[in-house]
Amino acid sequence: MNRLPAAQRILLYAAFLVLLATGVLWESVSAGPWASALMKVHGAAAMVALVLIGTLIAHHIPAGWGSFRNRWSGVLLLTALGWLVASGYLLYYSGSETLRSFASQSHLWVGLAGCMVAALHLWRSAITSVR
Ligand code: HEM
Ligand code: HEM
């Protein structure tokens, strides 16, 4: 058993749904006040998500690793999150236009792929559950 406490699970779902929604909406609006409002919300949700990922490092990940369940989907999820964090950093601080454009493209596609990996992690968790 490696279930997350309800509050932690709900906060995780909420933060990642806001990240996905604001990221996808930002792609579909043109530059202007809406786009900048969406990025302000996205940046705030990203900071909340980083705290929540920290809480998983404290217990969920080591406990899940030791149980041998969900290892591959968990590692894939962590890899995608790692790239989202690294490319998010580049979006803020990269001085180079080429690097920023690479970070922008890869951030979006890894964000979308990461949602599918999250679905895989939850599905694996449901089918291997011993509850
Ligand atoms: C190597 C890394 C990871 C491992 C080994 C792992 C392992 C597991 C396991 C074994 C379960 C099944 C729990 C159960 O049904 O009792 C699970 C569920 C879950 N994991 Fe992970 N996990 C990892 C990373 C992550 C990450 C990075 C996230 C989120 C960003 C995450 C979010 C969840 C959620 C939301 C569930 C469903 C929990 C529930 O039903 O209460 N996991 N994980
Ligand atoms: C832990 C997860 C995430 C972190 C830490 C993160 C972080 C960031 C940061 C720092 C920015 C730059 C904000 C700005 O320019 O004002 C950004 C932009 C963006 N994010 Fe995320 N994000 C995450 C997840 C996602 C997800 C799941 C998506 C899904 C589509 C996504 C899509 C986008 C898009 C489209 C942009 C605008 C890119 C650009 O400026 O060219 N992000 N994100």
Side-chain angles (χ1 to χ4, degrees), residues 21-83:
T22 50
V24 169
L25 280 173
W26 182 88
E27 276 297 319
S28 55
V29 299
S30 34
W34 277 110
S36 71
L38 285 168
M39 271 305 116
K40 282 179 191 163
V41 177
H42 190 83
M47 287 169 196
V48 173
L50 290 179
V51 174
L52 292 168
I53 296 167
T55 66
L56 295 174
I57 293 171
H59 180 74
H60 180 80
I61 294 171
W65 190 263
S67 78
F68 290 91
R69 294 172 54 220
N70 277 18
R71 264 196 182 185
W72 280 107
S73 61
V75 168
L76 270 180
L77 196 48
L78 279 177
T79 309
L81 287 173
W83 184 250

Side-chain angles (χ1 to χ4, degrees), residues 97-118:
E97 227 5 85
T98 321
L99 196 55
R100 196 184 185 284
S101 134
F102 169 68
S104 169
Q105 290 298 314
S106 64
H107 187 84
L108 172 68
W109 291 111
V110 172
L112 294 174
C115 291
M116 287 178 210
V117 178

Side-chain angles (χ1 to χ4, degrees), residues 1-4 9 12-13 16 56 60-61 64-65 67 69-71 74-75 77-78 81 121-122 125 129 131:
M1 286 278 281
N2 194 24
R3 294 216 73 188
L4 295 166
R9 196 167 70 242
L12 264 173
Y13 291 157
F16 280 97
L56 295 174
H60 180 80
I61 294 171
W65 190 263
S67 78
R69 294 172 54 220
N70 277 18
R71 264 196 182 185
V75 168
L77 196 48
L78 279 177
L81 287 173
H121 192 72
L122 292 178
S125 148
S129 175
R131 264 168 272 146

